[in-house]
Coordinates of all heavy atoms in Angstrom, one line a residue:
N1 N -0.7 -17.3 11.6 CA -0.7 -15.9 12.0 C 0.4 -15.1 11.4 O 0.2 -13.9 10.9 CB -0.7 -15.8 13.5 CG -2.0 -16.3 14.2 OD1 -3.0 -16.4 13.5 ND2 -1.9 -16.7 15.4
L2 N 1.6 -15.7 11.3 CA 2.7 -15.0 10.7 C 2.5 -14.7 9.3 O 2.8 -13.7 8.8 CB 4.0 -15.8 10.9 CG 5.3 -15.3 10.4 CD1 5.6 -13.9 11.2 CD2 6.4 -16.2 10.6
G3 N 1.9 -15.8 8.6 CA 1.6 -15.5 7.2 C 0.6 -14.5 6.9 O 0.7 -13.7 6.0
T4 N -0.4 -14.4 7.8 CA -1.4 -13.4 7.7 C -0.9 -12.0 7.9 O -1.2 -11.1 7.2 CB -2.6 -13.7 8.7 OG1 -3.1 -15.0 8.6 CG2 -3.7 -12.6 8.6
K5 N 0.0 -12.0 8.9 CA 0.6 -10.6 9.2 C 1.4 -10.1 8.0 O 1.4 -8.9 7.6 CB 1.5 -10.7 10.4 CG 0.7 -10.8 11.7 CD 1.7 -10.9 12.9 CE 0.9 -11.0 14.2 NZ 1.7 -11.1 15.4
K6 N 2.1 -11.1 7.4 CA 3.0 -10.7 6.2 C 2.1 -10.3 5.0 O 2.4 -9.3 4.4 CB 3.8 -11.8 5.8 CG 5.0 -12.2 6.7 CD 5.8 -13.3 6.2 CE 7.0 -13.6 7.0 NZ 7.8 -14.7 6.5
R7 N 0.9 -10.9 4.8 CA 0.0 -10.5 3.8 C -0.6 -9.2 4.0 O -0.6 -8.3 3.2 CB -1.1 -11.5 3.6 CG -0.6 -12.8 2.9 CD -1.8 -13.6 2.5 NE -2.6 -14.1 3.5 CZ -2.5 -15.2 4.2 NH1 -1.5 -16.0 3.8 NH2 -3.2 -15.5 5.2
N8 N -0.9 -8.9 5.3 CA -1.5 -7.7 5.6 C -0.5 -6.5 5.6 O -0.8 -5.5 5.1 CB -2.0 -7.7 7.1 CG -3.2 -8.6 7.3 OD1 -3.9 -8.8 6.4 ND2 -3.5 -9.0 8.6
L9 N 0.7 -6.8 6.0 CA 1.8 -5.8 5.8 C 2.0 -5.4 4.3 O 2.2 -4.3 3.9 CB 3.1 -6.3 6.4 CG 4.3 -5.3 6.4 CD1 4.0 -4.1 7.1 CD2 5.5 -6.1 6.9
S10 N 2.0 -6.4 3.5 CA 2.2 -6.3 2.1 C 1.0 -5.4 1.5 O 1.2 -4.5 0.7 CB 2.3 -7.6 1.3 OG 2.4 -7.5 -0.1
Q11 N -0.2 -5.7 1.9 CA -1.4 -5.0 1.4 C -1.3 -3.5 2.0 O -1.6 -2.6 1.1 CB -2.6 -5.6 1.9 CG -3.0 -6.9 1.2 CD -4.1 -7.7 2.0 OE1 -4.6 -7.3 2.9 NE2 -4.4 -8.9 1.4
E12 N -0.8 -3.4 3.1 CA -0.7 -2.0 3.7 C 0.4 -1.2 2.9 O 0.2 0.1 2.6 CB -0.4 -2.1 5.2 CG -0.3 -0.6 5.8 CD 0.0 -0.7 7.3 OE1 -0.1 -1.9 7.8 OE2 0.4 0.3 7.9
D13 N 1.4 -1.8 2.6 CA 2.5 -1.2 1.9 C 2.1 -0.7 0.6 O 2.3 0.3 0.0 CB 3.8 -2.0 1.8 CG 4.5 -2.3 3.1 OD1 4.3 -1.4 4.0 OD2 5.3 -3.2 3.2
L14 N 1.3 -1.6 -0.1 CA 0.8 -1.5 -1.4 C -0.2 -0.2 -1.4 O -0.2 0.6 -2.3 CB 0.1 -2.6 -2.0 CG -0.4 -2.5 -3.5 CD1 0.7 -2.4 -4.4 CD2 -1.2 -3.9 -3.8
F15 N -1.0 -0.1 -0.3 CA -2.0 1.0 -0.2 C -1.2 2.3 0.0 O -1.6 3.3 -0.6 CB -2.9 0.6 1.1 CG -3.7 1.8 1.5 CD1 -5.0 2.1 0.7 CD2 -3.4 2.7 2.4 CE1 -5.7 3.1 1.0 CE2 -4.3 3.8 2.8 CZ -5.4 4.0 2.1
N16 N -0.1 2.3 0.8 CA 0.6 3.5 1.1 C 1.3 4.0 -0.2 O 1.3 5.2 -0.5 CB 1.7 3.3 2.1 CG 1.1 3.2 3.5 OD1 -0.1 3.6 3.8 ND2 1.8 2.5 4.4
F17 N 1.8 3.0 -1.0 CA 2.4 3.4 -2.3 C 1.4 4.0 -3.1 O 1.6 5.0 -3.9 CB 3.0 2.2 -3.0 CG 3.5 2.4 -4.3 CD1 4.8 3.1 -4.5 CD2 2.9 2.1 -5.5 CE1 5.3 3.4 -5.7 CE2 3.4 2.4 -6.7 CZ 4.6 3.0 -6.8
S18 N 0.1 3.4 -3.2 CA -0.9 4.0 -4.1 C -1.2 5.4 -3.7 O -1.4 6.3 -4.5 CB -2.2 3.1 -3.9 OG -3.2 3.6 -4.6
E19 N -1.2 5.7 -2.4 CA -1.6 7.1 -2.0 C -0.5 8.0 -2.2 O -0.7 9.2 -2.6 CB -1.9 7.1 -0.5 CG -3.2 6.3 0.0 CD -4.5 6.8 -0.8 OE1 -4.5 8.0 -1.0 OE2 -5.3 6.0 -1.2
L20 N 0.8 7.6 -2.1 CA 1.9 8.4 -2.4 C 1.9 8.7 -3.9 O 2.2 9.8 -4.3 CB 3.2 7.7 -2.0 CG 3.5 7.6 -0.5 CD1 4.8 6.8 -0.2 CD2 3.7 9.1 0.1
F21 N 1.6 7.7 -4.7 CA 1.4 7.9 -6.2 C 0.5 9.0 -6.5 O 0.7 9.8 -7.5 CB 1.2 6.6 -6.9 CG 1.1 6.8 -8.4 CD1 2.3 7.0 -9.1 CD2 -0.1 6.6 -9.0 CE1 2.3 7.1 -10.4 CE2 -0.1 6.7 -10.5 CZ 1.1 6.9 -11.1
K22 N -0.6 9.0 -5.8 CA -1.7 10.0 -6.1 C -1.2 11.4 -5.8 O -1.7 12.4 -6.4 CB -2.9 9.7 -5.1 CG -3.8 8.5 -5.6 CD -4.9 8.3 -4.6 CE -5.6 7.0 -4.9 NZ -6.7 6.7 -4.0
L23 N -0.2 11.5 -4.9 CA 0.5 12.9 -4.7 C 1.1 13.5 -5.8 O 1.2 14.7 -6.0 CB 1.5 12.8 -3.6 CG 1.0 12.5 -2.0 CD1 2.2 12.3 -1.1 CD2 0.1 13.7 -1.6
M24 N 1.5 12.6 -6.8 CA 2.2 13.0 -8.0 C 1.3 13.6 -9.1 O 1.8 13.8 -10.2 CB 3.1 11.8 -8.5 CG 4.1 11.3 -7.5 SD 4.9 9.8 -8.0 CE 5.9 10.4 -9.3
K25 N 0.0 13.6 -8.8 CA -1.0 14.0 -9.8 C -0.9 13.2 -11.1 O -0.4 13.7 -12.2 CB -0.8 15.5 -10.0 CG -1.1 16.4 -8.8 CD -1.1 17.9 -9.2 CE -1.3 18.8 -7.9 NZ -1.4 20.1 -8.2
P26 N -1.3 12.0 -11.1 CA -1.1 11.1 -12.3 C -1.7 11.6 -13.5 O -1.1 11.4 -14.6 CB -1.8 9.8 -11.8 CG -1.7 9.8 -10.3 CD -1.9 11.3 -9.9
R27 N -2.8 12.4 -13.5 CA -3.4 12.9 -14.8 C -2.5 13.9 -15.4 O -2.3 14.0 -16.6 CB -4.8 13.4 -14.5 CG -5.8 12.3 -14.4 CD -7.3 12.9 -14.2 NE -7.4 13.7 -13.0 CZ -8.6 14.2 -12.7 NH1 -9.6 14.1 -13.4 NH2 -8.7 14.9 -11.5

């Protein structure tokens, strides 16, 4: 369960970073 939580947290952090990056208007 601990390993699953770590993986989920990592995926969530990656998702948040992706959305923050979109704020920067990549194009």
Side-chain angles (χ1 to χ4, degrees):
N1 289 338
L2 182 61
T4 302
K5 286 180 181 178
K6 286 182 177 179
R7 282 196 298 273
N8 289 341
L9 180 61
S10 177
Q11 289 169 1
E12 184 179 343
D13 289 343
L14 188 62
F15 173 77
N16 288 339
F17 176 78
S18 173
E19 294 304 321
L20 286 173
F21 181 70
K22 289 177 184 177
L23 288 174
M24 300 173 73
K25 299 187 177 181
R27 283 185 295 182

